[in-house]
Amino acid sequence: MNEDTILIVEDEKEIGELVRDYLNASGYNVILSLDGKDGLDQFHKANPILVVLDVMLPHLNGIDVCREIRTSSNVPIIMMSAKKSETDKIIGLGIGADDYIAKPFSPGELVARIKAQLRRYKDFSQMNKPETSSTITFDKLMIDEKGYIVTVSGKKVDLSAKEFQLLHLMAKNMGQVFSKEQLFDKIWGFDSYGDTSAVTVYIRKIREKIEENPSKPKYIVTVWGVGYKFDGSSL
């Protein structure tokens, strides 16, 4: 991974160049792509630390680019769009984006969000002390904290960065009930765009990937009227 390279995929060249200039001034190397297909190619070539991705792109839209990136990488992804409907926000988060910003926006605000996402990603990746075990195991589920790897019955499960962080937080605090507001604050932070409905989307996605029967979950269970908890009592 190139530790100072950020990929911007934005078909409006003026916007992309403006954001690039702001990021360059902050010490980042920036690759600017003007369409989805080229953006995906640049991602695989450059291995950036973060992707800023417009929703509406020629050749391959941002939603599909995000999905494709998530098949092989957990790098933070920030989606951009001129569409302001709540549906678009949830779609953007539900397919693996870490944050979402609506156009028009302040380049300074976007840079601040980029720095916040990189800080959280780095802190979360390095949260364990050397002497601490990096693996959490429950029944058929294994969570490797340092490697950002999750397996079920020995088979690797592809989770986005936020999906992994939610699962890890709850598994490490087995039995503790978290409200949606608590989970949103701990994983996204108050400076992130969106609302607690994103938590519901992510919990559903995680269940689909790790539960044998997502409609009757064994790991992440709903505590009605309160929130969610990781339940190891039946494992």
Side-chain angles (χ1 to χ4, degrees):
M1 180 177 290
N2 286 315
E3 296 186 357
D4 65 345
T5 298
I6 292 174
L7 173 64
I8 301 173
V9 190
E10 167 60 71
D11 63 325
E12 295 185 60
K13 188 176 181 181
E14 295 79 6
I15 293 177
E17 291 178 342
L18 180 62
V19 175
R20 180 190 62 193
D21 292 344
Y22 269 76
L23 287 170
N24 285 158
S26 296
Y28 295 102
N29 176 45
V30 177
I31 297 172
L32 176 59
S33 177
L34 302 178
D35 70 76
K37 188 177 183 302
D38 179 70
L40 195 56
D41 291 340
Q42 293 295 334
F43 174 81
H44 291 304
K45 291 177 183 177
N47 197 19
I49 56 171
L50 182 142
V51 179
V52 180
L53 182 61
D54 193 20
V55 172
M56 301 300 293
L57 292 167
H59 305 308
L60 192 65
N61 68 53
I63 299 295
D64 289 337
V65 173
C66 184
R67 284 198 183 101
E68 182 62 29
I69 289 174
R70 280 292 174 252
T71 64
S72 61
S73 174
N74 289 325
V75 297
I77 297 175
I78 299 177
M79 303 291 291
M80 302 185 295
S81 178
K83 295 184 177 180
K84 297 181 177 65
S85 73
E86 201 64 27
T87 300
D88 284 334
K89 298 174 195 174
I90 298 305
I91 289 175
L93 292 171
I95 50 87
D98 297 286
D99 201 359
Y100 186 107
I101 189 167
K103 296 179 180 179
F105 56 81
S106 159
E109 179 190 358
L110 178 58
V111 171
R113 292 193 187 194
I114 287 170
K115 289 181 177 180
Q117 288 296 333
L118 290 174
R119 186 167 57 249
R120 288 194 191 97
Y121 186 74
K122 181 178 180 181
D123 289 348
F124 202 91
S125 299
Q126 299 177 350
M127 67 183 298
N128 295 299
K129 296 179 181 179
E131 66 271 15
T132 302
S133 172
S134 68
T135 303
I136 300 174
T137 303
F138 293 99
D139 191 35
K140 300 176 182 178
L141 176 68
M142 188 278 289
I143 304 168
D144 181 347
E145 302 168 83
K146 292 181 180 178
Y148 258 61
I149 296 170
V150 174
T151 62
V152 176
S153 298
K155 297 181 64 176
K156 185 178 177 182
V157 177
D158 291 319
L159 299 181
S160 71
K162 285 293 184 286
E163 288 169 352
F164 182 91
Q165 290 165 15
L166 265 177
L167 175 60
H168 172 263
L169 172 67
M170 299 181 74
K172 197 157 188 177
N173 295 276
M174 183 179 67
Q176 179 177 340
V177 179
F178 292 93
S179 68
K180 291 180 183 179
E181 291 76 15
Q182 288 173 319
L183 291 172
F184 187 83
D185 179 34
K186 289 178 180 295
I187 302 302
W188 282 268
F190 283 122
D191 58 342
S192 290
Y193 183 82
D195 57 40
T196 58
S197 56
V199 174
T200 304
V201 174
Y202 272 74
I203 292 293
R204 176 175 57 82
K205 292 283 187 182
I206 295 169
R207 283 172 170 168
E208 289 173 353
K209 294 177 180 181
I210 70 170
E211 299 282 1
E212 187 174 332
N213 183 354
S215 63
K216 295 181 180 179
K218 294 192 306 179
Y219 298 112
I220 299 179
V221 300
T222 301
V223 180
W224 297 107
V226 184
Y228 304 97
K229 71 175 181 178
F230 191 96
D231 184 15
S233 61
S234 61
L235 302 178

